[in-house]
Amino acid sequence: MTIADTAEETGTSTARARRARRTALWLITPGVLWMTLFLVLPILMMVYVSFWTQTTFAINPVLTTKSWVTFFTSETYLDALWTTVRIWLLVLAATIVVGYPTALFVGLFVRNKTLQTVLLVLCVIPFWTSFLIRVLAWRPMLGKEGAINMILEGLGIIHAPIEALLFSELSVVIGMTQIYCVFMVGPIAFMLGRIDPNVIEAARDLGAGFGRIFRTIILPMSMPGVVVGAIFVSVMVLGEFATSAALSGRKVNLLGNIIVTQVGSLKWAFAAVVGVVLTIVMGAVVAALLRVVDLRKEL
């Protein structure tokens, strides 16, 4: 091969690499534009508005930290922040406790792909109805004269209705767990379905019991699904307001409820402050979850 042939081949490779980079840029451009227009710019605008001067009947673009000081010096708003974090932790734990065994059965013990699909479709059937209908359907279930109290009284487990089932923090946790549990089941079942049955069979042949197989094989290999499900559930629960308003009778005040109230009162600056705080909390939660497992490596 002559020097000219080598130079020509090098030039061809360089041109091919340049075309590949141009193609990649064209493919990524719509996504970057979309994220810039509908994620980055709104967040920056929200941060900017949070420093505007808010009066009773007007808002002026004069920068001040008054709304931020009001939020961090008010016991009501700090309580709402803590309530939001507490409900998120409870719902996240509940969805894992309820969702993991379900995903374990669907993803590991059901080897028939058709039956797996049917079971996963059954999990999402509640989503064929309206979100509000699913939330409000809990009222006749959890009420003082609701189905659960009637069943417990009929079985002789309780002698008086449990009033704490409705219009309480417990009712909000129950409602959110039922609504968002499927977002935990799906990713975990997907990861469990990728485990090679021969690996489990080999461990069983070597004398390992189910407990040891679960700790050393199943749980580590399903962690990416748990993290993805936790991110889905966390983002949706932290931004919730409808379930709390419907099932707690406005006794449970989340950050999402404060945003709705402030926007309804045209207090855009304070609503923006709460929105920024909520966004920071969500970002911290997602960042912490992503440190549990390297999703790029595992997926």
Side-chain angles (χ1 to χ4, degrees), residues 234-249:
S234 299
V235 170
M236 286 182 282
V237 170
L238 287 170
E240 255 277 15
F241 64 92
T243 306
S244 170
L247 296 182
S248 76

Side-chain angles (χ1 to χ4, degrees), residues 116-277:
Q116 264 189 4
T117 305
V118 170
L119 291 174
L120 288 174
V121 169
L122 286 175
C123 289
V124 300
I125 278 182
F127 284 80
W128 295 359
T129 60
S130 161
F131 173 84
L132 284 176
I133 290 175
R134 277 181 281 139
V135 173
L136 293 174
W138 277 105
R139 284 197 174 191
M141 294 286 290
L142 300 173
K144 192 176 176 181
E145 298 178 354
I148 293 178
N149 272 321
M150 289 175 65
I151 292 171
L152 292 176
E153 283 184 301
L155 294 173
I157 298 174
I158 58 173
H159 301 291
I162 304 173
E163 296 186 14
L165 281 179
L166 189 59
F167 300 132
S168 65
E169 200 168 298
L170 176 62
S171 61
V172 177
V173 172
I174 291 173
M176 287 189 184
T177 301
Q178 185 271 323
I179 292 168
Y180 299 119
C181 192
V182 68
F183 294 100
M184 186 64 75
V185 173
I188 298 175
F190 173 74
M191 291 305 299
L192 290 171
R194 295 176 59 185
I195 297 176
D196 188 349
N198 294 325
V199 176
I200 296 176
E201 191 61 34
R204 193 175 290 124
D205 291 343
L206 291 171
F210 180 78
R212 188 169 184 182
I213 293 174
F214 179 79
R215 287 195 311 274
T216 57
I217 298 175
I218 297 173
L219 185 59
M221 295 186 77
S222 65
M223 280 309 292
V226 176
V227 170
V228 172
I231 290 173
F232 286 157
V233 172
S234 299
V235 170
M236 286 182 282
V237 170
L238 287 170
E240 255 277 15
F241 64 92
T243 306
S244 170
L247 296 182
S248 76
R250 299 187 183 279
K251 291 180 181 175
V252 176
N253 205 21
L254 305 179
L255 289 182
N257 298 104
I258 293 177
I259 293 174
V260 172
T261 304
Q262 296 298 319
V263 169
S265 304
L266 301 180
K267 294 181 178 177
W268 301 100
F270 195 79
V273 170
V274 183
V276 172
V277 171

